[in-house]
Structures are given as structure tokens and as C-alpha cells.
Amino acid sequence: MMDIRAYAVSKLSRIGPQWLPFADVGTPEVPLSRLLRLSLFQVTVGMALVLLVGTLNRVMIVELAVPASLVAGMLALPLLFAPFRALIGHRSDHHASAIGWRRTPFIWKGTLWQFGGFAIMPFALLVLSGYGEAASKPLWIGQGAAALAFLLVGAGLHMVQTAGLALAADLVKEDDQPKVVGLMYVMLLFGMVASALVFGALLESYTPGRLIQVIQGAAVVTVLLNGIALWKQESRDRARAAALEGAKRPPFRDAWRSFAGGAGAKRLLAVIALGTAGFGMADVLLEPYGGQALGLSVAETTKLTALLALGTLVGFAVASRSLGRGGRPLALATLGALAGAPAFGAVILSAYAGSAALFAAGTVLAGFGAGLFGHGTLTATLRAAPKSQIGLAIGAWGAAQATAAGLAVAAGGAARDVILAGTGGGWAAAPYLPVFGFEILLLAAAAIFARPLLRGERAGPVETAEAERIFRDEALAQRAG
């Protein structure tokens, strides 16, 4: 009698590497199940991003009538913490723990900060909405509490993601790092898609009380999943602990000077900043744009985040497959930036056509370009860093990305409000379209700025192996001759 389970597993093992190139990153020492469990920290990050950027910004702007510039400023508050990602990565590279842990303490601290932000947020929303007895409270209390909640959640995200990605890179060989990066970000997008669908379903009948229940549930799930993700991931090494305790930690200034002094490092960070700003400026505007210009409901705009994540998921899968075959990461990043032009062009045209389908297609394409760009630039940053500076490299990438995204979000929201005041509230789409057009210019600038780096880009693992094979074959041929 045929073993159905064995048959299914054999089929999945063949399909996985073809359609999910990161699926073969597992080894006997670090099985795929362990990496998948570690990647749960990315699921909680994705869930928080959907809640902040997708659901709360739409509710605060449309339902609670909070000015978009103020909401954008709240979303940009984590920008205050973003530059410290490089410092977090550096400190986790050299953290001295009594049992040898380096990354785990930082992941857990970030988790607690996320929980704290989610704990404050319901009270802020109660005051902003004037729900029940909160109607008599001053509005500035709600705005200040919301700002603090956004700051804590954002700072926790930065800490968790920086240390978590560094831990994932520690567990695998250098040649497998592009695959594990792909896996980690696929789980981030899975968390975004799943939570967007769940939040959309729970908020189908929107009330302030229901939104608060969703936020409280997200806080509990964050602590639970991150605890499962960390369980027995980083080995306890007392010898390493003793060595780190006795060793002098390199000053951050010297470590940063060494990293930034590498060939093309500063230009690479500039490319990351330009491209991230190009994709990120619309983060605070897509859902309100869908609600005001196209008449979409809260549930529909929340589900729109799932489409964006789905496009990014496809972009990461394509990037992982290409990099696994020796593709050049910066070439992929440039292609992703160029894909943003037709994406935001479709978003702009959707207002003239009144087409929600065209808006959705542009959103998916924007996600695809962002996936290629994000995976390509992170892989390029990892390859440019020595093993002892993996945390610093990931932190530098995250700092450039988060800083650019925060500034872009704040600028996008402010531009929308300024244009809205200038137009006097005429056509609903008018305040948004110039911002989408400027994003196209930023992405074009990122592609142009990356051109000098493409000429000296380092070959991928497959290309390197192929070059070694050719060299070996030529040497054997010369000996035979």
C-alpha cells in the first residue's frame, strides 16, 4: 500500500527548490524546521507593520479625522531610533553574556518594547475616538499616547529585526545567506498577508472597541511567537562568554569607519536610502487614497496590504532563485527600482479611470519591485561585510532603510496635507498624485546612482564555484598537455 505521507513529502521536496529557492537552505546541523521556527520573529514584525501602516493609519486619518501630517509624523517616530540599528548590530556582534548569548537578549528586549507599545495604544485610540467616557479627555493626551505607542513598537521592531537577521546569518554558511535572507523575508511577508486578512475579517464591522481588541490580541501573539522563535536557537557557549568578557569591545566609531571605508559602501547606503524612500513614501497614503479616491472600505484597504505583501513575496522568491544561481544582487535591486515606475504609474491612472483593479495591480507591482530591491540590497550589504561585522552590516542596511522610510513617510503625509489645503478639498485624488509621481523620480535616481557599483559587483556563490571549476579544468588541461 502506497505511503501517502512519504509520497507527498517527496513531491514537496522536488517542488520547493524550484519555486521557493530558499527551501533547500536547511542542513543536518540547522534543519529547515529550526529556521522556520526562528523566522516567527518576522511574522510578528509583519503583523505590527500591517497594524501600524495599514490599519491604524487609515482609521486615524479617515475615521478619526486626524491630520495626515500628524499620523505620518507618528509613523515616522521610529526614525528617531532607526540610526541606532547599526549600533545594535555592532553591540550584538560583541555582546558579553554570562552564558555566551549575543543576539537573544536584544531580540527579547525588542519584543518587550513592542508589547509595551501595543499596551499603550488602545488607551490612545479611546481618547482620539471620543469613545465612551474618553470624550471628556483632552485630545493632546490621545495624540501624545499614540505617538509614544508608535515609538515603542517601532523601536522594538528595529531591535528584533536587526538581531534576528544577524542570528539567522550566524546559523548558516556564507553561501547560504541569500537563501536564509529570502526565507526570513518570505515569513515577514507571510505575517503581513495573514495578519492583513485576519485584521480585515475582524474589522469588517468596524467599531473602536473591536479595533482595541485586535491590538490587544496582537500584543499577546507577539510575545508568544517571539518566545517560540527564540527557544534553543542560540547555543550557550561559556568559552565564548569568557572570551567576550575578557576582550575589549571595539569602539563603534572604529568599527563603523572600517565598514563605511569599504569599496562603494557609502554609495550602496545611498542607493538603499533613495530606493527605500521611493517605495516607502506611499506607505501612509495608499490606504487613505483607496478610501477617499476610490471609495474602498476599511476592510478592503486593510486587505490591500495583503496584495502589497503578496507582490513583495513574489519579488523575494524571484530574487532568491536568481541569487542562488549566481545572480548579482545590485543588478536585481536596480531592476526592482525600475519596476516601481510602471507600478506607481498604474496607481496614478487608477484615479482617472476610477478602477480599483488597476490600483490593485499597481500595488502588487510596487510590492514586487520592493521585494527585488530589498533582497538585492541586503544581500549586497552582507557580502560586503566580514564575518565579524555581520550584525553591524545588517544594522547599517536597516538604519539606512528605516531612516529613509521614516523621512519619506513624514514628507509624504505633509505633502498630502499641504496640497489638500492648496486645492481647497476639490478632487479627492489630487493631494495624492504628486506624491506618487515624486516616488517615480526617487526610484529612477536610485537606479542611476547604482550604476557605478554594478561594474565592480562581487560574484555570487554559484558564479564563484563555476569560476573555480573552470580554473581547475584549465590547470588539469595544462598538466595533461
Side-chain angles (χ1 to χ4, degrees):
M1 185 176 179
M2 185 177 68
D3 188 341
I4 297 177
R5 181 177 181 276
Y7 176 77
V9 170
S10 66
K11 286 294 183 183
L12 286 174
S13 64
R14 295 173 187 173
I15 294 173
Q18 180 180 359
W19 297 104
L20 300 174
F22 41 77
D24 60 349
V25 70
T27 63
E29 295 79 18
V30 187
L32 182 60
S33 60
R34 180 179 173 186
L35 293 174
L36 285 172
R37 183 164 58 82
L38 173 62
S39 67
L40 289 176
F41 79 85
Q42 287 283 66
V43 174
T44 64
V45 169
M47 180 175 62
L49 289 175
V50 169
L51 199 56
L52 295 183
V53 180
T55 304
L56 288 177
N57 103 79
R58 153 50 203 256
V59 168
M60 293 173 74
I61 292 175
V62 179
E63 274 70 28
L64 303 182
V66 179
S69 56
L70 182 58
V71 177
M74 291 181 187
L75 288 174
L77 276 175
L79 166 67
L80 299 175
F81 197 82
F84 294 101
R85 287 185 67 148
L87 177 61
I88 291 170
H90 170 68
R91 291 183 67 88
S92 70
D93 284 335
H94 304 280
H95 180 66
S97 168
I99 54 178
W101 282 348
R102 294 188 301 161
R103 319 294 186 184
T104 300
F106 291 90
I107 299 174
W108 190 242
K109 287 178 186 177
T111 300
L112 296 180
W113 284 25
Q114 285 179 260
F115 183 85
F118 284 136
I120 296 171
M121 200 171 291
F123 302 100
L125 294 177
L126 281 173
V127 177
L128 288 175
S129 65
Y131 190 68
E133 297 179 0
S136 61
K137 303 302 178 184
L139 191 60
W140 65 266
I141 295 179
Q143 294 172 347
L148 178 60
F150 275 69
L151 177 62
L152 286 175
V153 173
L157 292 180
H158 291 314
M159 188 174 293
V160 167
Q161 197 171 56
T162 299
L165 289 174
L167 176 57
D170 289 342
L171 294 178
V172 299
K173 297 182 297 183
E174 181 181 1
D175 290 353
D176 288 332
Q177 285 176 355
K179 297 178 182 179
V180 82
V181 166
L183 175 62
M184 292 295 124
Y185 269 89
V186 162
M187 293 303 289
L188 169 68
L189 298 169
F190 171 78
M192 293 179 69
V193 171
S195 57
L197 295 175
V198 171
F199 292 162
L202 292 175
L203 296 172
E204 196 72 47
S205 300
Y206 168 77
T207 64
R210 176 61 63 88
L211 179 59
I212 287 170
Q213 290 176 336
V214 169
I215 296 171
Q216 290 171 334
V220 175
V221 170
T222 294
V223 175
L224 179 63
L225 291 185
N226 282 1
I228 295 172
L230 285 177
W231 183 254
K232 293 186 177 181
Q233 290 289 358
E234 192 170 20
S235 61
R236 293 176 293 179
D237 189 339
R238 296 189 182 278
R240 181 174 65 188
L244 289 172
E245 186 69 32
K248 183 179 179 181
R249 177 188 298 153
F252 174 72
R253 180 181 299 178
D254 295 343
W256 175 256
R257 188 181 296 115
S258 173
F259 173 79
K266 293 179 180 177
R267 180 176 286 268
L268 174 59
L269 293 177
V271 170
I272 294 168
L274 285 170
T276 302
F279 282 113
M281 189 172 285
D283 281 350
V284 74
L285 299 178
L286 280 177
E287 285 79 9
Y289 172 77
Q292 294 181 331
L294 298 174
L296 302 179
S297 67
V298 174
E300 288 171 331
T301 55
T302 298
K303 292 174 184 176
L304 185 72
T305 307
L307 291 178
L308 182 68
L310 179 62
T312 311
L313 173 61
V314 175
F316 269 107
V318 171
S320 292
R321 181 168 184 169
S322 177
L323 292 170
R325 295 183 172 185
R328 296 183 180 275
L330 279 176
L332 284 172
T334 302
L335 180 62
L338 294 175
F344 289 110
V347 171
I348 292 172
L349 290 176
S350 68
Y352 293 97
S355 172
L358 187 59
F359 178 44
T363 301
V364 172
L365 184 57
F368 175 77
L372 288 181
F373 183 83
H375 197 332
T377 52
L378 179 53
T379 303
T381 307
L382 282 173
R383 289 182 178 175
K387 185 70 174 177
S388 61
Q389 289 188 331
I390 289 295
L392 175 61
I394 292 175
W397 174 84
Q401 187 189 53
T403 302
L407 289 173
V409 164
R416 179 261 189 192
D417 284 354
V418 170
I419 297 170
L420 178 61
T423 57
W427 186 32
Y432 298 94
L433 301 186
V435 179
F436 297 147
F438 187 65
E439 286 184 290
I440 296 176
L441 296 180
L442 285 175
L443 292 170
I448 293 171
F449 215 62
R451 288 189 62 186
L453 297 175
L454 295 175
R455 291 191 292 269
E457 189 172 8
R458 174 182 165 186
V462 174
E463 288 177 313
T464 304
E466 181 66 15
E468 291 176 352
R469 184 189 64 79
I470 293 173
F471 177 80
R472 185 177 63 252
D473 291 347
E474 289 179 351
L476 291 174
Q478 289 176 358
R479 291 179 183 177

